[in-house]
């Protein structure tokens, strides 16, 4: 029932907006464009119940529950963390290759703290571990744990 009320309210407000726009514009210069936009809005509002999109007031609610929102937030944070780790791994490999150091970073373990800073906790290397470890500790700091990692 609330969806029907919301739809009727949006249709009335759209029609009111069209009437005001037509009255404000001089010489009916943009009449066709306004009618096209209004028709598209009215069509969207009328088809909304069929599409299953729910409106809460005037804003669309994409997530049905707090659990879904929390799950989506966790997935987004996980994807962001993975992208950061891959970016760091690529940058480190690029720097090692520029310096002709015969090793490769296979994995980076990092997380993004609450203040937005990136904290690297572990780097896995293949190849010349001694030279690679020295360079990585120089670049990333002495607190980084460097281990031998598989591909």
């Amino acid at each position: 029932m609330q969806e029907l009320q919301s739809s009727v309210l949006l249709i009335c407000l759209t029609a009111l907006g069209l009437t005001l726009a037509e009255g404000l514009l001089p010489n009916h210069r943009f009449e066709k464009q306004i009618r096209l936009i209004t028709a598209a809005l009215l069509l969207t509002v009328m088809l909304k119940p069929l599409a299953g999109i729910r409106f809460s007031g005037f804003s669309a609610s994409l997530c049905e529950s707090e659990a879904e929102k929390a799950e989506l937030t966790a997935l987004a944070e996980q994807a962001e963390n993975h992208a950061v780790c891959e970016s760091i791994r690529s940058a480190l490999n690029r720097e090692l290759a520029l310096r002709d150091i015969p090793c490769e970073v296979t994995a980076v373990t990092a997380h993004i703290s609450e203040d937005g800073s990136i904290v690297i906790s572990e780097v896995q290397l293949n190849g010349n571990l001694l030279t690679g470890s020295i360079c990585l500790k120089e670049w990333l700091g002495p607190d980084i744990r460097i281990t031998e990692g598989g591909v």
Side-chain angles (χ1 to χ4, degrees), residues 20-131:
L20 288 174
E22 285 179 346
L24 292 176
L25 291 176
N27 299 329
H28 303 286
R29 183 175 176 186
F30 298 106
E31 185 176 359
K32 289 182 182 178
Q33 290 86 353
I34 291 173
R35 287 195 180 274
L36 178 66
I37 291 171
T38 306
L41 287 174
L42 285 173
L43 187 61
T44 302
V45 170
M46 288 181 202
L47 294 178
K48 175 197 59 82
L50 298 176
I53 300 171
R54 298 183 183 274
F55 282 91
S56 173
F58 292 106
S59 64
S61 174
L62 299 176
C63 298
E64 293 296 322
S65 68
E66 291 298 321
E68 286 180 3
K69 290 178 185 178
E71 183 180 345
L72 286 175
T73 302
L75 286 173
E77 288 173 358
Q78 185 180 15
E80 181 182 34
N81 191 32
H82 179 71
V84 165
C85 289
E86 285 301 309
S87 177
I88 293 170
R89 185 186 67 78
S90 296
L92 290 174
N93 281 328
R94 197 171 35 252
E95 289 299 317
L96 290 169
L98 284 174
R99 289 169 175 73
D100 293 326
I101 299 170
C103 68
E104 176 186 15
V105 176
T106 57
V108 174
T109 304
H111 70 277
I112 302 171
S113 65
E114 293 294 322
D115 64 352
S117 60
I118 298 170
V119 180
I120 302 171
S121 56
E122 181 180 359
V123 176
Q124 294 179 357
L125 287 177
N126 271 346
N128 188 342
L129 295 178
L130 181 62
T131 308

